[in-house]
Amino acid sequence: MKDLITGLASILLLTVFLLQFVVSQTVYTRIMGTEYAAKQFRIDMEESGEEEMKESYARKLKENAAFAAGCDAAEVSVQVTENEYEMSVPIRNIIGAAEFLGISPEENQLVHHTKGIIYIKEKQEETEDEKHDNNDSTSDSFQYASEISDGA
């Protein structure tokens, strides 16, 4: 009987670790979803080049980040200045067996922060010299969001 109880306790404990592995993958997917929403926001802002579109793009960022994180859009905080943005998104249920381990729902969450720089492309006419310049140098110290790979 003692061996049965010990065996069941061991299986229960191992199940907690297995559950946490699955939850960790889910949390990672949520965080990467919010990062992808932020990247799409940068792409939209950089390609539009219009400051007056900032509010509609920020609202879209909040909605997309909330969808990715599985929370309400009102819980997502987005601040956009002239050339920077900052976003905070709550990610809940980061511990798989939180109730079993005595962790309250308020403690079973994190807030993911991300921020970045927006490089608005200026719409200028090329001079005659620039039209004939075949220099494809990538010596700029920054990259537009659309030029950054998704890591795939």
Side-chain angles (χ1 to χ4, degrees), residues 35 37-42 45-46 61 78-87 114-118 145:
E35 288 293 327
K39 180 182 176 186
Q40 191 60 47
F41 167 76
R42 278 185 57 200
M45 285 293 293
E46 289 172 357
L61 171 61
V78 175
Q79 291 86 30
V80 181
T81 62
E82 186 174 317
N83 61 349
E84 293 181 338
Y85 69 92
E86 188 170 343
M87 176 178 67
T114 188
K115 61 182 177 178
I117 298 172
I118 304 166

Side-chain angles (χ1 to χ4, degrees), residues 7-141:
L8 289 175
S10 298
I11 290 173
L12 182 62
L13 189 59
L14 290 174
T15 304
V16 169
F17 287 111
L18 180 64
L19 178 63
Q20 185 56 43
F21 175 75
V22 172
V23 171
S24 294
Q25 294 300 308
T26 304
V27 169
Y28 175 77
T29 302
R30 289 178 184 168
I31 290 172
M32 292 311 296
T34 62
E35 288 293 327
Y36 183 77
K39 180 182 176 186
Q40 191 60 47
F41 167 76
R42 278 185 57 200
I43 290 170
D44 292 345
M45 285 293 293
E46 289 172 357
E47 290 181 353
S48 75
E50 300 175 15
E51 286 293 318
E52 58 270 2
M53 298 298 288
K54 181 171 30 178
E55 195 156 317
S56 67
Y57 287 137
R59 185 174 47 254
K60 184 178 174 185
L61 171 61
K62 284 178 96 170
E63 292 169 359
N64 291 342
F67 179 75
C71 66
D72 189 33
E75 297 173 300
V76 178
S77 169
V78 175
Q79 291 86 30
V80 181
T81 62
E82 186 174 317
N83 61 349
E84 293 181 338
Y85 69 92
E86 188 170 343
M87 176 178 67
S88 300
V89 183
I91 308 287
R92 293 192 176 78
N93 300 323
I94 59 172
I95 305 295
E99 291 181 20
F100 177 72
L101 298 171
I103 299 172
S104 68
E106 293 81 26
E107 296 172 324
N108 191 16
Q109 63 181 343
L110 61 86
V111 178
H112 176 66
H113 299 281
T114 188
K115 61 182 177 178
I117 298 172
I118 304 166
Y119 295 105
I120 303 293
K121 294 180 181 178
E122 296 179 15
K123 297 178 182 176
Q124 297 177 351
E125 290 288 323
E126 289 183 334
T127 64
E128 195 62 35
D129 290 337
E130 290 172 337
K131 288 181 183 178
H132 299 292
D133 185 14
N134 293 328
N135 184 7
D136 293 337
S137 173
T138 56
S139 62
D140 292 338
S141 61

